[in-house]
Amino acid sequence: LRLTLKVSTNEFIRLQAAYDAKDLADIRTYTTPEMFAEISMQIQERGDAPQQTEVVTVNADIVDVVSEGDVGIVSVRFHGLIREQSGGAAEPFDEIWHVQKYVNDPKSSWLIAGIQQA
């Protein structure tokens, strides 16, 4: 199995900004339907509470690559520091994102299928 994945911290920052802004249209473009439903539910549960997250530092490391049929799955560990309150202290975070794509479809793009706390 040969997969090409450009691991970029920009995707982490983009998802965090879209989550803070409740931008479901943007989130839908790079998540699986199941992941989109989960994130949408989290945003709905948050209600009208404003959220603004500053990503102070972020690093990305590929931790696993597997294939299940015609689906390639790559697990990427994102870790660093984020600040969730203006003027507050930066806190460490450590997450593993599972991204997938159909390897036999040249038009398929990587979609976030799961996020777990490490």
Side-chain angles (χ1 to χ4, degrees), residues 76-90:
V76 182
R77 177 179 173 230
F78 289 100
H79 54 100
L81 295 170
I82 57 172
R83 181 175 295 116
E84 295 184 318
Q85 295 179 4
S86 181

Side-chain angles (χ1 to χ4, degrees), residues 38-100:
E38 185 175 324
I39 291 173
S40 296
M41 188 173 60
Q42 291 173 1
I43 288 173
Q44 184 178 22
E45 289 173 354
R46 191 172 86 207
D48 293 331
Q51 181 169 321
Q52 183 174 354
T53 306
E54 176 189 354
V55 178
V56 179
T57 61
V58 62
N59 300 295
D61 305 299
I62 294 177
V63 294
D64 197 17
V65 178
V66 297
S67 63
E68 294 179 2
D70 61 347
V71 176
I73 304 167
V74 178
S75 298
V76 182
R77 177 179 173 230
F78 289 100
H79 54 100
L81 295 170
I82 57 172
R83 181 175 295 116
E84 295 184 318
Q85 295 179 4
S86 181
E91 300 285 334
F93 72 91
D94 197 346
E95 298 179 350
I96 297 175
W97 288 18
H98 304 284
V99 296
Q100 68 182 36

